[in-house]
Amino acid sequence: MEPSTSPDQVDLAATAENADMAGLRSQALRYRAAFELSAHGQALVDLTGRFLEVNASLCEILGYSPAELLNRRFLDITHPDDQADGLQAAVDLRSGKLQRYRCEKRYLRPDGRTVWAQVTSHLARDADGQPQYFATAIEDITERKASELAMREREALLSSMGKFVPGLIHKIGFDANGRARFLYISDRAMEMFELPHELMERDYHAHHARVHPDDQAYVKRLATAPKPGALLHPVDFEYRVILPSKGLRVYGGHAIPVTEEDGSVVWYGHTADVTDKKALLKARMAAQVAQDANLAKNEFLSRVSHELRTPLNAVIGFAQLLRLSSAGQLNAAQRQHVEHIESAGSHLLGIISDVLDLSRIEAGNLPLLAQPCQAAALLNEACHLVAPLARGSGIALHAPVISDHTPIQVDPMRLRQVLVNLLSNAIKYNRPQGHVTPRVWAEGGLVAIAIDDTGKGLNAEQQAHLFEPFNRLGAERTGVEGTGIGLVIVRKLLEAMQGRLEVRSQPDKGSSFIAWVPQASGASAGAEVGSAADPAHLAARAATGTELRVLYAEDNDINAELVLEVLKLRPGCLVRVATSGAEALAMAREQAPDLFLLDMHLGDMSGFELTRQLQAEPSLQGVPRVAFSADAMPDQIHRARDHGFSGYLTKPLDVAALLACVDEHTERVRSLRQAR
């Protein structure tokens, strides 16, 4: 007989059962709350892959409502590339091969975006071990994956830059002991330091073995860990290395300090070989120094030219004027004295001009204007210029023998200078009653202009030293004037015009100096303009009835007196003299002249500044301007022409050139007045 159960026992059992049920309900509520309130997505998926339950976080991550997800399987929202892995994981979980499945996969939202998720799944089984459903937790890692992608892209960029950007890109950090280490180093380590990339990655200080001994301490300071809290600034650095294959090189670069998220300080930097850059910079600095020195030299030469030519202007000018205006009042001895003054002054002027020309040629800043010309015309003009010297020396200067009329391509002024020098030498260094014969012919695409003389000739040793500046080969012991630089200038001028100078000489038989110059290609020489030194300009002329009003700006009383005396040979020329730029401007405003004759170095302003102010006056804009200056530098003359000067007269005064200028403008004024 079984023992009976008392009512009290039944009540206790019922109470215990109710308590257990309440506990289970409470636990279920907690699990439900944890499921619903979880920040991560939570889902229960049946064995076919259909969603059974989903929480709000999962709906937010995937962009679906609960009802939409419960009508879908996980494959419906999985990225096609990740579906196979998900199916295989389900098989492995059911077979017991996997106890837990964890992966990163992509889901497709209804708005078209892709969501990266960290997925963790477990297979729930019943008491008999039979599979029931999958419990899955899903964490949104889209931002993390985007950061990882950006990091990979940056690393790829760094890697590509390391391959194609010259130099070494690096990121340097420090370990707990403050020892520097490369956190990143680009692929040019071997090229830069001739050390294996792996060695430099492993040991930051390995490349110090390549550093120049004198720079070791500096480079080690660069690798010192910064003190905590220290204020850091970007650093520019430069040091030398000695490489086994390249020898001494100079490396330089720039590094920027950056504080990472964990508070550590790292340096991002770039190191490059700057050896060639420094050499180029050094060369540029040297070129700039040379250019500055050249400019200073030009300024010095310009000033020297001005200072030397100004007193010579009075010496030569008044000598010319005395010879011309007092021809019938001087006896033979006095006239000879005047000619000696003029000759000595001209000789000194020639020396000054030669020295200045040689300096400009050697500096490479002698302006040349090559154009088609006729060799015969330039040679005839040069012969005309030296004819008085030949007559005075008793030398027969024969008419040029012209065998060819091919146009040549030269600077006519400079070739005329060459020919006058060669002809003068042939006359001065000839024998008594000797002969000088100029010749022209064409040969091998060039035109030859030869000056033959019957002088003493030159032996081989003399010819070897012929082009040494200031070496007169013993002629300094004779009474023949010279400087010893004329032929140097002649050769350099011909070479600057793409020509050359040839010397053929035999002792006691004479010499032939041949100027070879290029032919003009497909062009005909223009008409040759007569020299301003034509003696016809030197004659005094009666008044023609046409007045030429000239305003002459000159701050040197002697120069002004000389010009006034010369212009007395032209009675129709009415000259007013202004002793400063300001006075010239005031006089011009009071009465506009027909011609401005302007000294280029006035006391209060330059001729260019005066010109600028004159051009600002509407009534004076059409008045021609002629420069008159002791500065005979070609660049100054070109600058004056660029500023609208119609002529440039140099000091010492060429009387014929001044009179020719006055005659030209008198004729211009006469034509204008007749036209009215």
Side-chain angles (χ1 to χ4, degrees):
M1 181 175 177
E2 296 180 358
S4 62
T5 302
S6 68
D8 291 338
Q9 289 178 319
V10 172
D11 291 340
L12 288 173
T15 301
E17 182 179 356
N18 289 337
D20 290 341
M21 291 298 296
L24 289 173
R25 284 195 296 273
S26 176
Q27 185 179 32
L29 289 175
R30 288 196 299 273
Y31 286 155
R32 170 60 59 185
F35 182 87
E36 294 290 348
L37 299 177
S38 173
H40 294 164
Q42 301 282 343
L44 299 181
V45 181
D46 69 15
L47 299 179
T48 66
R50 186 172 297 279
F51 288 103
L52 296 175
E53 292 188 42
V54 296
N55 70 352
S57 294
L58 182 62
C59 293
E60 182 179 352
I61 293 171
L62 299 179
Y64 290 95
S65 67
E68 290 172 329
L69 283 178
L70 294 178
N71 286 323
R72 285 173 169 76
R73 297 180 307 157
F74 80 92
L75 287 178
D76 296 335
I77 60 172
T78 299
H79 192 282
D81 294 344
D82 297 338
Q83 291 181 359
D85 288 343
L87 290 173
Q88 183 62 46
V91 171
D92 291 342
L93 286 171
R94 294 182 63 178
S95 67
K97 185 177 181 179
L98 291 177
Q99 298 300 315
R100 185 181 66 171
Y101 173 65
R102 185 180 179 86
C103 71
E104 293 178 356
K105 63 183 295 185
R106 290 162 290 179
Y107 291 107
L108 301 178
R109 288 171 55 95
D111 57 11
R113 289 190 294 139
T114 298
V115 177
W116 275 96
Q118 177 77 51
V119 179
T120 304
S121 291
H122 295 268
L123 178 63
R125 298 176 183 273
D126 61 14
D128 297 328
Q130 296 299 314
Q132 288 187 303
Y133 58 85
F134 297 99
T136 302
I138 298 174
E139 179 185 357
D140 187 348
I141 60 171
T142 304
E143 291 186 2
R144 193 194 81 193
K145 296 294 287 187
S147 298
E148 291 174 355
L149 177 62
M151 181 66 71
R152 288 195 300 272
E153 290 176 345
R154 283 197 295 270
E155 290 177 353
L157 177 61
L158 280 174
S159 178
S160 64
M161 288 176 65
K163 293 177 181 178
F164 300 108
V165 173
L168 200 64
I169 299 172
H170 44 75
K171 177 182 179 182
I172 299 172
F174 302 91
D175 61 20
N177 297 320
R179 185 178 174 85
R181 59 193 179 95
F182 283 116
L183 302 178
Y184 171 83
I185 184 170
S186 59
D187 298 334
R188 291 186 179 267
M190 186 65 186
E191 177 185 334
M192 290 284 292
F193 291 97
E194 299 184 9
L195 291 171
H197 185 274
E198 297 76 13
L199 174 61
M200 291 189 62
E201 276 189 322
R202 185 172 65 252
D203 182 4
Y204 172 85
H205 295 85
H207 71 284
H208 287 184
R210 302 293 194 223
V211 176
H212 191 284
D214 293 345
D215 296 340
Q216 285 278 355
Y218 170 72
V219 172
K220 289 179 180 178
R221 286 199 302 272
L222 291 176
T224 303
K227 295 180 180 179
L231 184 61
L232 301 177
H233 302 280
V235 173
D236 293 307
F237 54 86
E238 183 178 293
Y239 56 89
R240 292 164 295 173
V241 298
I242 302 176
L243 303 178
S245 66
K246 300 179 182 178
L248 182 65
R249 307 297 292 177
V250 180
Y251 286 179
H254 184 75
I256 301 174
V258 175
T259 301
E260 303 279 71
E261 292 183 358
D262 61 0
S264 63
V265 174
V266 297
W267 290 84
Y268 289 86
H270 174 252
T271 301
D273 187 336
V274 297
T275 308
D276 296 337
K277 180 180 178 181
K278 286 183 70 67
L280 178 60
L281 181 61
K282 184 177 180 180
R284 285 178 176 173
M285 290 178 64
Q288 184 63 48
V289 170
Q291 182 179 1
D292 293 343
N294 192 40
L295 291 175
K297 180 180 179 181
N298 285 342
E299 178 64 26
F300 172 74
L301 291 175
S302 177
R303 180 55 59 185
V304 167
S305 173
H306 181 270
E307 295 300 326
L308 292 177
R309 285 173 175 268
T310 297
L312 278 178
N313 182 54
V315 174
I316 298 176
F318 278 111
Q320 289 182 8
L321 188 61
L322 189 59
R323 177 170 54 82
L324 293 172
S325 62
S326 306
Q329 302 175 23
L330 300 177
N331 58 38
Q334 292 172 329
R335 184 175 181 82
Q336 187 178 32
H337 294 163
V338 171
E339 289 174 354
H340 285 331
I341 295 173
E342 185 178 353
S343 175
S346 298
H347 176 62
L348 180 56
L349 176 62
I351 294 175
I352 294 170
S353 298
D354 283 349
V355 171
L356 294 177
D357 278 348
L358 182 60
S359 297
R360 288 196 296 267
I361 292 171
E362 290 180 343
N365 60 2
L366 183 70
L368 292 173
L369 181 60
Q371 60 190 63
C373 306
Q374 283 290 344
L378 292 173
L379 183 56
N380 284 327
E381 184 173 351
C383 289
H384 176 75
L385 292 173
V386 300
L389 176 63
R391 287 193 298 270
S393 303
I395 303 298
L397 177 59
H398 298 283
V401 179
I402 310 298
S403 301
D404 190 272
H405 292 277
T406 301
I408 57 177
Q409 188 77 12
V410 296
D411 184 317
M413 181 184 75
R414 292 304 178 183
L415 184 59
R416 189 185 299 115
Q417 178 182 349
V418 166
L419 297 177
V420 167
N421 187 288
L422 295 178
L423 286 165
S424 299
N425 284 350
I427 294 168
K428 291 190 298 181
Y429 299 106
N430 215 315
R431 65 180 71 247
Q433 288 78 49
H435 298 265
V436 175
T437 304
R439 297 179 294 130
V440 176
W441 74 92
E443 181 181 328
L446 298 173
V447 172
I449 308 173
I451 309 298
D452 302 334
D453 66 59
T454 57
K456 294 182 179 181
L458 300 168
N459 59 36
E461 183 180 357
Q462 288 175 315
Q463 291 185 47
H465 298 280
L466 188 59
F467 297 104
E468 293 177 0
F470 304 106
N471 187 347
R472 298 191 62 202
L473 305 178
E476 64 274 9
R477 294 187 292 271
T478 69
V480 180
E481 294 179 340
T483 61
I485 60 175
L487 282 179
V488 179
I489 295 173
V490 164
R491 186 170 71 167
K492 290 182 179 292
L493 284 175
L494 288 172
E495 291 173 350
M497 293 186 288
Q498 310 306 313
R500 58 186 173 88
L501 178 64
E502 180 184 354
V503 180
R504 300 174 184 175
S505 185
Q506 291 182 343
D508 301 322
K509 290 186 178 181
S511 302
S512 179
F513 287 80
I514 307 171
W516 294 89
V517 294
Q519 297 180 4
S521 58
S524 59
E528 294 293 332
V529 180
S531 170
D534 189 343
H537 290 298
L538 294 172
R541 296 185 183 180
T544 60
T546 301
E547 293 181 346
L548 179 70
R549 299 189 302 273
V550 178
L551 178 54
Y552 177 30
E554 174 63 71
D555 61 347
N556 186 294
D557 293 339
I558 296 178
N559 289 340
E561 181 182 350
L562 175 60
V563 169
L564 290 174
E565 288 296 324
V566 170
L567 292 183
K568 287 181 180 179
L569 297 173
R570 296 295 184 265
C573 184
L574 306 179
V575 184
R576 293 186 299 159
V577 178
T579 59
S580 67
E583 185 179 0
L585 190 60
M587 293 173 67
R589 287 168 175 164
E590 178 183 341
Q591 182 183 18
D594 300 313
L595 176 67
F596 285 111
L597 184 61
L598 305 179
D599 179 63
M600 300 304 287
H601 293 278
L602 296 168
D604 58 342
M605 65 181 73
S606 70
F608 296 112
E609 175 61 22
L610 177 56
T611 294
R612 188 186 65 79
Q613 296 192 36
L614 290 173
Q615 281 293 94
E617 300 289 334
S619 62
L620 303 176
Q621 290 177 355
V623 180
R625 301 180 303 281
V626 173
F628 186 37
S629 176
D631 190 345
M633 300 291 283
D635 52 351
Q636 183 79 352
I637 296 173
H638 286 297
R639 182 186 174 197
R641 289 174 179 168
D642 292 342
H643 279 73
F645 281 84
S646 60
Y648 197 103
L649 301 175
T650 59
K651 302 173 185 177
L653 173 64
D654 184 335
V655 173
L658 175 59
L659 294 177
C661 176
V662 169
D663 293 343
E664 176 188 346
H665 286 282
T666 300
E667 180 61 25
R668 175 184 58 81
V669 171
R670 186 186 64 79
S671 299
L672 288 174
R673 290 173 183 171
Q674 286 181 348
R676 294 173 185 169

